[in-house]
Amino acid sequence: MITETSPQTEPEDEAESLADWPAIRGDFPILDQQVHGQPLIYFDNAATTQKPRPVLDALSHYYQTDNANVHRGIHELSNRATAGFEAARARAARFINAAQPDDIIFTRGTTEGVNLVAQTWGATHIREGDGILLTEMEHHSNIVPWQLLAERTGAKLMFLPVSGDVGLLDLNRLDEWLTRDVKLFAFTHISNSLGTINPVADFCARARKAGVTTLVDAAQSAGHRPLDVQEIGCDFLAFSGHKMCGPTGIGVLYGRQEVLADMPPYQGGGEMILNVDFQRSTWKPAPHRFEAGTPDISGAFGLHAAMDYLDKIGRHRIAEHDQELGAHAYARLSQLKGGIRLFGPHVGRAGLVSFLLKDVHAHDVVTVADQRGVALRGGHHCNQPLMHKLGVESTARASFYFYNTTEEIDRFVEVLREIQEFFGA
Amino acid sequence: MFDELGDLYQQVILDHCKHPRNFHEQGQATCSAQGHNPLCGDQLKLFLTMEGDVVKDASFVGSGCCISKASASLLTESIRGKTRTDVRQMFDRVHDLVMTGEVKGEVGKLAVFAGVHKFPARVKCAILAWHALLAALKGEGHPVTTENDET
């Protein structure tokens, strides 16, 4: 019997005090550097966020003191690694208010979470002619796994439309589309290219009424706002550690225990079995049934530290700060003369802005901005179908996190002015 | 502006990107090929009119970044009157040029792309039109993409 050797205490959310943003920024050693001779302004947080010292320390502490394989050894180090790994699972459950730690499956990230559901739940629940409802603003990782499933099963994909540049979903026909033929409704919480925040609890309530299973892609929201899967009422929810101060290679798939219980295994191997004979095997219950092989143990330790770190700041504060930065950027950019096209909602947007400067390709914007120390993303943001719908090949995107400042945004807008001048006709 | 950027966005490149030459389709083209850079979304179509072994006319259409547009524009200017062997040799020189920044042999105006090698992420933009050119000469029907090889 393994007990937690180091019971984790949750940091108290100091709701009343104000966050000390400059001090918090100081926790991120990587931000204190120059790029091409200019102070780094890191605005590519929707791709991946930077890691604070406590997360880096947790990783190095794990490897320096506790490293061993989990759930196998009966020696001290293995006990510690196992206890820490399971403590991270329990922490992840509390992080999103899952009913129990067994609702948490560790994955490599959001992409693997969606693929896992498509390959296991999809294999037993999706038949020829069934509908899988997605939205036009989904990331490729919430489209392609369903296309693969549709190819295998003969299911059909449906897409809830996005209303042009303003980037809101057209919900008028949602109830109409949630028919008996639709078996799954999978949607993003926050659009990685538009910054739209979807009313996911409302989506889930409507889907539940129609008996439709739901999956929430929380890649862009998990580290940015409080998340409560019971309040949202989803069946599945997936997110990545690296987009919320954690290491790359670790992520979480939440599944309601009732739904997980009858899902077939994902990958076969060690750790997921009860008993193996030469001809057949039996599986462990969830979540271990879905975690074949040695998992990313250090990643789980790092993710644990990241969740503690975020909650020490307070995710509601992070959400407010995000919105401030998003609104400030949107306002400043819309004042930019000389032609700029902005994507996403005018109000209530997440902390990111996609844009196109008139007659300047996104990649040229990104290249010049980089020379000024500003890290942006240019391209289709893994949203090719959405880009085609909006009639663009690519956009430039600035995405923020709590360590960014309005001063950085002002500097970035200055750089955009220079770019307009540089490429001016 | 800044030195490094000046190296990348030479005046000639800026000029060709803002005012691309031979920017039109050719109804009577002998061969054509599409180039696609999935990373940036750059799409271009190159048209060649051959007279025997010689490129008589070259033009292109499409959308893309400044580097890829300027590269296609300068390509159409520089391959007129050249033979297939000449063109193949030019491809190799341009390839070396954007990879290393070194000018080996006669490249004429194309030397402006020497600065690209300092921007590894942009090498594909500069070479896209040249890949399309080879594909057009080979008569390949399917679009070439920059994701098929190293550049």
Side-chain angles (χ1 to χ4, degrees), chain A residues 146-167:
Chain A
W146 307 116
Q147 288 175 342
L148 293 172
L149 178 63
E151 273 171 30
R152 279 198 299 275
T153 58
K156 56 180 192 292
L157 303 184
M158 302 146 72
F159 291 87
L160 208 57
V162 167
S163 60
D165 287 6
V166 74

Side-chain angles (χ1 to χ4, degrees), chain A residues 189-221:
Chain A
H189 191 176
I190 293 180
S191 158
N192 68 306
S193 59
L194 299 165
T196 313
I197 304 170
N198 286 319
V200 286
D202 175 49
F203 288 4
C204 290
R206 295 201 206 187
R208 209 164 39 244
K209 216 182 283 173
V212 174
T213 302
T214 48
L215 180 144
V216 181
D217 168 359
Q220 296 297 337
S221 62

Side-chain angles (χ1 to χ4, degrees), chain A residues 1-182:
Chain A
M1 176 80 198
I2 292 159
T3 52
E4 289 191 16
T5 48
S6 52
Q8 305 288 328
T9 49
E10 219 111 313
E12 283 299 307
D13 193 355
E14 298 135 26
E16 297 312 312
S17 63
L18 285 168
D20 183 357
W21 297 116
I24 287 166
R25 185 182 168 97
D27 291 336
F28 293 79
I30 200 171
L31 296 176
D32 183 22
Q33 66 171 297
Q34 301 226 320
V35 167
H36 301 303
Q38 307 275 339
L40 169 66
I41 296 180
Y42 185 77
F43 280 175
D44 196 16
N45 293 287
T48 197
T49 64
Q50 300 302 346
K51 324 302 174 198
R53 223 172 248 114
V55 170
L56 304 176
D57 290 347
L59 291 173
S60 119
H61 184 267
Y62 166 74
Y63 278 122
Q64 289 187 35
T65 60
D66 301 328
N67 177 50
N69 213 328
V70 290
H71 300 298
R72 286 167 179 74
I74 45 173
H75 55 78
E76 170 61 16
L77 291 189
S78 178
N79 285 349
R80 276 191 231 154
T82 302
F85 186 69
E86 290 306 319
R89 192 191 306 281
R91 181 67 182 91
R94 291 194 298 278
F95 190 72
I96 57 172
N97 195 32
Q100 54 205 326
D102 286 352
D103 295 351
I104 302 297
I105 300 162
F106 281 123
T107 62
R108 283 187 292 137
T110 311
T111 298
E112 188 174 42
V114 178
N115 277 280
L116 191 157
V117 176
Q119 287 178 36
T120 62
W121 181 89
T124 49
H125 288 80
I126 298 293
R127 300 269 173 276
E128 191 177 350
D130 284 347
I132 297 170
L133 180 58
L134 309 171
T135 84
E136 286 181 345
M137 65 169 72
E138 296 313 307
H139 189 278
H140 293 169
S141 61
N142 199 25
I143 297 177
V144 183
W146 307 116
Q147 288 175 342
L148 293 172
L149 178 63
E151 273 171 30
R152 279 198 299 275
T153 58
K156 56 180 192 292
L157 303 184
M158 302 146 72
F159 291 87
L160 208 57
V162 167
S163 60
D165 287 6
V166 74
L168 295 170
L169 288 172
D170 178 0
L171 302 180
N172 289 331
R173 292 169 59 199
L174 177 55
D175 292 325
E176 203 180 304
W177 284 31
L178 287 169
T179 62
R180 199 163 296 182
D181 292 341
V182 172

Side-chain angles (χ1 to χ4, degrees), chain B residues 10-141:
Chain B
Q10 302 251 355
Q11 279 310 320
V12 175
I13 292 179
L14 285 176
D15 176 40
H16 276 259
C17 131
K18 289 173 197 167
H19 313 288
R21 322 294 200 267
N22 306 309
F23 192 62
H24 56 80
E25 299 196 6
Q26 280 185 63
Q28 305 302 315
T30 324
C31 50
S32 69
Q34 280 181 303
H36 181 218
N37 180 348
L39 211 68
C40 329
D42 290 353
Q43 301 258 19
L44 64 87
K45 190 167 184 187
L46 195 68
F47 300 88
L48 301 178
T49 300
M50 303 295 292
E51 210 171 63
D53 196 40
V54 177
V55 180
K56 186 156 177 265
D57 195 8
S59 69
F60 81 106
V61 293
S63 66
C65 67
C66 194
I67 304 299
S68 71
K69 252 159 78 183
S71 172
S73 173
L74 279 154
L75 174 150
T76 58
E77 281 195 332
S78 58
I79 62 169
R80 280 193 191 175
K82 302 281 196 244
T83 65
R84 284 170 186 265
T85 315
D86 292 340
V87 165
R88 177 74 225 188
Q89 197 178 37
M90 287 171 79
F91 175 92
D92 291 339
R93 284 176 185 170
V94 172
H95 190 272
D96 279 352
L97 180 72
V98 297
M99 293 293 282
T100 65
E102 287 167 32
V103 181
K104 293 175 189 156
E106 181 52 45
V107 293
K109 265 194 197 173
L110 298 170
V112 294
F113 290 104
V116 173
H117 83 283
K118 292 183 194 164
F119 298 80
R122 306 307 298 276
V123 168
K124 287 180 178 182
C125 312
I127 206 75
L128 177 64
W130 290 89
H131 276 298
L133 171 63
L134 290 194
L137 288 175
K138 278 188 208 153
E140 285 173 10

